[in-house]
């Protein structure tokens, strides 16, 4: 009888260990002296804000690996302008692996002698970049407006015209100017952006050696 009891106890202990290692979320929190987080490994991290990274390290080092869930981390990553999504993996006995899926930079916004990255969520971030860096992004100037930038940028993509544009300047009264790589200046009006780009493509095809294209008035084009 004693051997049977020891066998059952051993099976129960192995089952408990198995559950501790494989269960992701627990409704009951354990305060165990082992499985403390010692290492936090961030993967695919290019633009994650350093203050958010530091907060996560400070808040979760020496905390229970068993209790940790994405719910604990969400409040930190929600503050980031770069983290689109992430995966959390626990590596027992003391490591967590955070695999990031970050937004991509699509433009460089210049203001007050500083240059900031704008991501593909059309968000102006605090990530400062050296303009001498070899990075192939469109330049953005003027007063930043996410909706205006999204409108012009998305339409430049759908019309296959983005690669011809060197600079976008957001102006007041819902207007936008473009500077092309061949130094042609383009002034847009307050009507369909897609329509204006299609008109611009036809103008450039017919008159390649011009300096200015004025599209501010719908149905009327001024070239110089």
């Amino acid at each position: 009888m004693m051997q049977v009891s020891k066998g059952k106890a051993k099976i129960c202990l192995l089952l408990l260990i198995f559950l501790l290692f494989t269960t992701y979320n627990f409704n009951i929190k354990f305060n165990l002296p082992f499985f403390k987080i010692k290492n936090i490994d961030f993967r695919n991290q290019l633009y994650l804000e350093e203050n958010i990274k530091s907060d996560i390290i400070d808040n979760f080092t020496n905390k229970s690996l068993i209790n940790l869930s994405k719910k604990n981390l969400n409040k930190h990553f929600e503050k980031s302008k770069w983290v689109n999504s992430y995966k959390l993996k626990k590596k027992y006995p003391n490591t967590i692996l955070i695999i990031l899926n970050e937004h991509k930079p699509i433009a460089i916004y210049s203001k007050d002698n500083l240059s900031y990255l704008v991501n593909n969520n059309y968000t102006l971030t605090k990530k400062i970049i050296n303009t001498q860096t070899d990075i192939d992004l469109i330049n953005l100037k003027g007063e930043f407006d996410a909706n205006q930038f999204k409108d012009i940028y998305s339409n430049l993509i759908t019309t296959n015209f983005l690669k011809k544009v060197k600079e976008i300047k957001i102006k007041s009264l819902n207007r936008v100017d473009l500077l092309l790589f061949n130094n042609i200046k383009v002034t847009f009006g307050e009507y369909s952006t897609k329509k204006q780009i299609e008109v611009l493509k036809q103008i450039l095809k017919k008159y390649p050696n011009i300096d200015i294209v004025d599209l501010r008035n719908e149905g009327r084009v001024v070239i110089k």
Side-chain angles (χ1 to χ4, degrees):
M1 294 295 293
M2 182 63 69
Q3 290 181 345
V4 174
S5 297
K6 286 184 177 180
K8 288 183 178 179
K10 186 176 181 180
I11 291 173
C12 290
L13 178 60
L14 290 174
L15 180 60
L16 176 61
I17 294 174
F18 174 77
L19 289 172
L20 289 178
F21 274 84
T22 57
T23 304
Y24 190 79
N25 292 314
F26 286 81
N27 292 324
I28 301 175
K29 291 190 175 182
F30 296 89
N31 187 19
L32 300 175
F34 45 89
F35 297 141
K36 297 294 186 180
I37 298 171
K38 299 298 181 183
N39 304 303
I40 301 177
D41 187 4
F42 295 87
R43 297 284 177 88
N44 300 337
Q45 172 213 327
L46 292 175
Y47 304 103
L48 175 66
E49 296 87 342
E50 286 299 322
N51 63 311
I52 293 176
K53 181 180 177 180
S54 296
D55 285 345
I56 290 173
I57 293 172
D58 292 342
N59 278 275
F60 296 102
T61 298
N62 290 322
K63 297 295 177 62
S64 170
L65 181 61
I66 296 171
N67 293 336
L68 182 66
S69 70
K70 289 187 71 173
K71 183 178 180 181
N72 305 128
L73 292 167
N74 284 346
K75 64 180 181 180
H76 295 279
F77 285 127
E78 285 171 356
K79 300 175 186 177
S80 174
K81 293 183 178 180
W82 287 103
V83 177
N84 184 25
S85 62
Y86 69 96
K87 293 180 180 179
L88 171 64
K89 291 186 178 181
K90 300 178 182 181
K91 300 177 70 175
Y92 287 90
N94 59 15
T95 300
I96 62 173
L97 176 61
I98 300 172
I99 305 171
L100 298 172
N101 175 24
E102 294 184 326
H103 291 295
K104 307 300 181 185
I106 58 173
I108 299 173
Y109 176 67
S110 299
K111 187 174 184 179
D112 299 330
N113 297 319
L114 292 174
S115 297
Y116 305 88
L117 289 178
V118 181
N119 65 32
N120 60 347
N121 197 34
Y122 303 102
T123 300
L124 175 61
T125 74
K126 294 182 180 180
K127 187 75 172 180
I128 298 176
I129 186 170
N130 185 344
T131 53
Q132 301 301 316
T133 304
D134 185 19
I135 185 168
D136 186 21
L137 297 176
I138 199 166
N139 294 312
L140 182 61
K141 294 183 178 180
E143 292 301 318
F144 183 81
D145 183 286
N147 291 328
Q148 276 186 269
F149 176 59
K150 180 178 180 179
D151 175 64
I152 183 66
Y153 191 88
S154 59
N155 276 290
L156 288 172
I157 291 176
T158 57
T159 56
N160 296 313
F161 200 74
L162 181 63
K163 291 183 178 181
K164 296 185 180 295
V165 180
K166 180 179 181 181
E167 177 184 297
I168 298 172
K169 186 173 184 179
I170 299 176
K171 305 182 75 172
S172 59
L173 302 175
N174 296 318
R175 290 207 305 103
V176 172
D177 288 354
L178 302 181
L179 176 63
L180 308 187
F181 276 105
N182 54 7
N183 291 321
I184 295 177
K185 297 179 181 179
V186 183
T187 303
F188 276 17
E190 298 181 61
Y191 57 99
S192 170
T193 301
K194 183 176 181 180
K195 181 178 180 179
Q196 291 181 79
I197 296 174
E198 293 296 348
V199 171
L200 175 61
K201 290 167 70 175
Q202 294 300 317
I203 292 296
L204 295 176
K205 186 176 180 180
K206 189 173 182 179
Y207 305 101
N209 299 315
I210 56 178
D211 297 318
I212 296 174
V213 180
D214 188 339
L215 299 165
R216 283 177 293 179
N217 298 307
E218 187 172 5
R220 179 172 176 263
V221 180
V222 175
I223 60 175
K224 296 180 182 179

